[in-house]
Amino acid sequence: MEWNVYEGSKAVGSLHVTCEGLYLHLEGSLSTEGRLCRVYGICGRHSVYLGLTDSTGCIRKRLTRKGLPTPEFCILSPYGPGQWMPWQGELQTVNLEHCLIKEEGGAFALAIPEEQWQRLPNNIGEGQRTQIYGQRMLVIDPDAPIVLPRIEKENGGKKNEVLNENAGEPIDPLLLADLPADYDYGEGGQ
């Protein structure tokens, strides 16, 4: 099987994966431009460290299958595994890249780089601004309920009042003749 590897939105290669008993063998040659990079498997909100490339971009790793989920895709990152793990994916239809994620007690915290803050929808809410690995990041709860904006009526209006959308005045009763017989005109009818 093949696992695609990305650096941001750019495809940099794939890992050829073979199963042999209790182990997975990963092998691939990635476009790392002479850098040492760490490879992570992205499984939903989880990030799993898979290994380190050499300076030519090659990776050859043997991992136990136990507890290793099959990633949706893989990413390159300069950061080592720790409390914050490299992550990228979709949050409320926005594709985020070069993020960090951590899990504490079943809850997740997502750190988004400063250059991506403006891409977030307004309904995400406020987060905490902090420095992680020397980068300005916005830390949010990716599982927080969506806060929808409150819709206000322009004209106000009263309960059950039928208004002409253009003039903001009650509709002529003769125009209401075309409504179905079971139409509810509100309290007391018309």
Side-chain angles (χ1 to χ4, degrees):
M1 86 185 102
E2 297 285 324
W3 294 349
N4 294 324
V5 183
Y6 297 90
E7 185 169 23
S9 59
K10 179 184 168 193
V12 293
S14 63
L15 297 176
H16 180 70
V17 183
T18 56
C19 298
E20 292 184 12
L22 300 175
Y23 296 96
L24 287 177
H25 291 275
L26 310 176
E27 193 172 326
S29 182
L30 310 174
S31 300
T32 61
E33 300 165 2
R35 300 171 290 143
L36 295 176
C37 292
R38 291 167 179 85
V39 181
Y40 291 86
I42 303 300
C43 312
R45 293 269 163 82
H46 298 279
S47 181
V48 179
Y49 179 66
L50 299 177
L52 181 68
T53 66
D54 62 18
S55 61
T56 65
C58 291
I59 183 170
R60 185 172 279 149
K61 192 78 174 173
R62 181 178 173 196
L63 302 170
T64 62
R65 289 175 48 183
K66 184 178 180 179
L68 181 66
T70 302
E72 299 161 22
F73 58 93
C74 299
I75 62 171
L76 291 183
S77 177
Y79 306 120
Q83 184 180 17
W84 288 98
M85 298 290 282
W87 183 85
Q88 81 179 40
E90 190 174 282
L91 180 66
Q92 293 188 26
T93 70
V94 177
N95 287 321
L96 298 172
E97 302 164 352
H98 308 291
C99 297
L100 299 169
I101 197 162
K102 74 174 177 177
E103 182 181 8
E104 288 181 358
F108 290 94
L110 179 63
I112 302 167
E114 182 176 26
E115 61 272 7
Q116 295 186 53
W117 294 354
Q118 73 277 2
R119 294 175 55 198
L120 297 174
N122 293 334
N123 60 8
I124 284 200
E126 284 297 311
Q128 175 188 355
R129 288 171 170 77
T130 187
Q131 290 261 347
I132 303 173
Y133 298 133
Q135 274 191 87
R136 285 179 40 91
M137 306 285 263
L138 176 68
V139 178
I140 63 168
D141 176 0
D143 297 319
I146 297 172
V147 179
L148 297 176
R150 184 181 172 109
I151 300 174
E152 296 183 21
K153 294 181 181 178
E154 183 178 320
N155 296 328
K158 296 178 184 173
K159 184 177 180 185
N160 298 322
E161 183 178 39
V162 180
L163 296 178
N164 180 336
E165 290 182 17
N166 297 329
E169 299 173 6
I171 297 176
D172 183 339
L174 293 176
L175 295 175
L176 297 175
D178 292 333
L179 293 174
D182 61 345
Y183 182 78
D184 179 20
Y185 291 100
E187 297 177 280
Q190 288 237 345

